[in-house]
Amino acid sequence: MGNGVAMNRKRIWGWWFFDWASQPYATLLTTFIFPVYFAGVARDHFIAQGMTPEAAGAATQQLWGDGLAICGAIIAVLAPVLGAIADNTGRRLVWIWLFSGCYMAGAWGLWFLMPDQPDLHLAVLSFGIGLIGVEFATIFTNAMLPGLAPRSEIGRLSGSGFAFGYLGGLVSLAIMLLFLAEGAETGRTLLGIPPILGLDPLLREGTRAAGPFTALWYLLFMIPFALWVRETPGPRAPLRLGAAMADLWRLLISLRHRRSLGAWLLSSMFLRDALNALYAFGGIFAGTVLGWPVIWAGAFGIVSAISAAIVSWIGGRADRRWGPKPVIIISTLVLTAVCVLIAGLGRQQVFGLPLSAESRLPDVLFFLCGALIGGAGGALQAAARTMMVRHTTPQRATEAFGLYALSGKATAFLAPLLIAVVTDLTGNPGLGVSPLIVIFLLALILLGWVKPTGEAQQ
């Protein structure tokens, strides 16, 4: 029995290491380092073509939003199909390793975004390939959660996993800022030294190294996952696409008899869509509206990651004591307030009140936003996984997480598309974030029909 417990603990740690290994894509490439670099390069490129700084900032955010929208549409089409195939065959690991390859290839491709004469579309394409990789790999690893521990411990396990992942993101961000990412003006890192490994600061090679660094980090820290995580015991079947599609249709039809599950899938669909967009556009907003250099954005990332690690861990304990629904509601209200603040935030004003050119109030407020986004976002994602587990049983876990994957990606294009459209119409990146307020509130309304205890026993 002792050996069985030890093996189970190793399996849990291996599962947690996926969060540690994959988090830098979100921390370095989606939120803090690469988006700020991309924003600066793209903005300068558009200004060189004759645009005003305001129009260049809006064009940059629109290009980024269009790229994310296309990725979201691809994920929405493929997620339910792949989920059904995995459920039908009983295999998940083969898909995790396939999309791990996409993750690393896409991340590495970001190295090629040069500061002069940049190929912006290649950068967006590479980012999209990596994003698709990490999103699909996460789908299949999340489906393993119900089989890792008793149901009473799932909330703590999920929260601790997110906390561990955010800690990995924090460590990777610290390494980038201290040794690699150089300031555009100084050519030096946060330590005051040139980028290590002989990287050329004039070509921004230290900052561009965020892509290859993220790929190598993932390769290294997926080793514990590879060693300790095995397929969940159960029947195996050969790949039959027709049977998989039939199973998917049956699952969708069954939702009309499961009101709480249906409401939760719709609510989580909007929650995750808005949260992912908020993560994705934070760095772009910092670069285009506030004019932050990469170093400042990195410090912002440290604040956010520390908050995320701490609050995710606390949220996991709160989840175990009070259940996931209160954690989800509080986190969503906090994120809605953050979106309201960002919508009224600018370099020269806050909610229309003019500021002096030397005012640091916008910077302080956005640092506060970073702490709130990190903490509330981490707690929300961990509690959302637990809520999904409460709507299934170990015997039907793959089915439930297949539906969860479908709901999470069915409208993954919506928030980025709305941000791109509103930014284009208003020419104001701050107001461009305002659709997220509506999406978060809609998710809260749908939560009213979700049972706190779920429908696992039905």
Side-chain angles (χ1 to χ4, degrees):
M1 183 173 181
N3 290 335
V5 171
M7 287 298 294
N8 190 46
R9 286 177 179 169
K10 290 179 73 173
R11 188 165 181 255
I12 289 171
W13 271 103
W15 187 82
W16 278 342
F17 260 101
F18 174 81
D19 282 337
W20 176 283
S22 62
Q23 182 61 33
Y25 205 98
T27 303
L28 303 183
L29 304 187
T30 301
T31 310
F32 300 116
I33 300 297
F34 182 76
V36 178
Y37 172 65
F38 177 89
V41 169
R43 189 173 176 224
D44 291 346
H45 174 72
F46 288 130
I47 290 175
Q49 292 183 332
M51 290 187 180
T52 65
E54 293 76 15
T60 297
Q61 184 159 300
Q62 183 183 358
L63 176 61
W64 192 253
D66 288 342
L68 289 179
I70 292 170
C71 288
I74 293 172
I75 293 168
V77 170
L78 294 181
V81 176
L82 293 177
I85 290 173
D87 180 61
N88 188 258
T89 61
R91 298 185 182 278
R92 300 189 187 100
L93 288 178
V94 63
W95 297 103
I96 292 172
W97 296 122
L98 172 65
F99 288 109
S100 293
C102 295
Y103 175 112
M104 290 185 286
W108 200 283
L110 301 180
W111 166 261
F112 300 104
L113 181 64
M114 304 294 290
D116 298 320
Q117 298 182 331
D119 190 335
L120 299 177
H121 291 92
L122 175 62
V124 172
L125 175 63
S126 296
F127 179 84
I129 291 171
L131 182 64
I132 289 170
V134 71
E135 289 284 354
F136 278 125
T138 301
I139 288 171
F140 295 112
T141 53
N142 279 348
M144 295 179 170
L145 175 59
L148 292 176
R151 187 180 175 193
S152 61
E153 292 296 316
I154 290 296
R156 182 185 64 82
L157 186 64
S158 182
S160 296
F162 267 101
F164 188 55
Y166 280 117
L167 182 60
L170 176 62
V171 173
S172 68
L173 181 59
I175 293 173
M176 276 297 304
L177 292 175
L178 294 174
F179 302 108
L180 292 169
E182 69 284 281
E185 301 297 329
T186 66
R188 296 183 176 273
T189 71
L190 201 59
L191 279 180
I193 62 173
I196 63 172
L197 305 177
L199 297 174
D200 188 347
L202 294 179
L203 295 177
R204 303 300 304 278
E205 288 183 347
T207 299
R208 287 161 49 205
F213 176 80
T214 298
L216 293 173
W217 176 283
Y218 184 85
L219 181 64
L220 174 64
F221 289 111
M222 280 297 282
I223 292 175
F225 184 94
L227 292 177
W228 300 335
V229 177
R230 296 290 179 264
E231 290 281 12
T232 303
R236 302 286 184 265
L239 173 60
R240 294 188 179 92
L241 185 59
M245 294 301 95
D247 285 346
L248 174 61
W249 179 248
R250 176 184 56 80
L251 298 180
L252 293 173
I253 292 298
S254 72
L255 286 178
R256 61 185 176 181
H257 305 299
R258 304 178 69 181
R259 182 179 176 184
S260 179
L261 175 58
W264 168 238
L265 291 172
L266 287 173
S267 178
S268 68
M269 176 176 68
F270 291 120
L271 284 173
R272 287 178 284 168
D273 190 18
L275 180 59
N276 288 336
L278 194 55
Y279 284 149
F281 284 93
I284 297 294
F285 182 89
T288 58
V289 177
L290 301 181
W292 281 11
V294 170
I295 296 294
W296 275 39
F300 174 86
I302 289 176
V303 171
S304 180
I306 291 173
S307 174
I310 294 173
V311 179
S312 294
W313 185 84
I314 294 172
R317 269 66 187 168
D319 184 332
R320 181 169 63 174
R321 181 168 182 178
W322 293 294
K325 189 171 180 178
V327 177
I328 293 169
I329 291 173
I330 293 172
S331 299
T332 304
L333 289 172
V334 170
L335 292 168
T336 304
V338 167
C339 291
V340 172
L341 178 55
I342 292 176
L345 191 61
R347 180 74 272 171
Q348 304 296 331
Q349 57 81 35
V350 175
F351 291 106
L353 299 175
L355 301 172
S356 66
E358 297 78 21
S359 176
R360 306 319 307 181
L361 180 60
D363 305 306
V364 172
L365 290 177
F366 200 60
F367 266 103
L368 174 62
C369 288
L372 294 176
I373 292 170
L380 172 60
Q381 292 178 90
R385 286 199 298 204
T386 309
M387 180 61 81
M388 193 65 244
V389 171
R390 290 198 172 196
H391 283 82
T392 187
T393 62
Q395 294 75 26
R396 300 173 68 94
T398 309
E399 168 185 299
F401 274 92
L403 287 173
Y404 189 63
L406 168 61
S407 72
K409 306 309 170 190
T411 60
F413 61 91
L414 180 61
L417 180 61
L418 289 175
I419 290 175
V421 169
V422 174
T423 301
D424 185 40
L425 291 176
T426 64
N428 186 319
L431 289 178
V433 178
S434 60
L436 301 186
I437 300 171
V438 178
I439 296 175
F440 276 128
L441 292 177
L442 179 57
L444 276 176
I445 293 171
L446 289 166
L447 274 174
W449 284 275
V450 178
K451 297 178 180 178
T453 56
E455 295 177 332
Q457 304 307 318
Q458 295 187 9

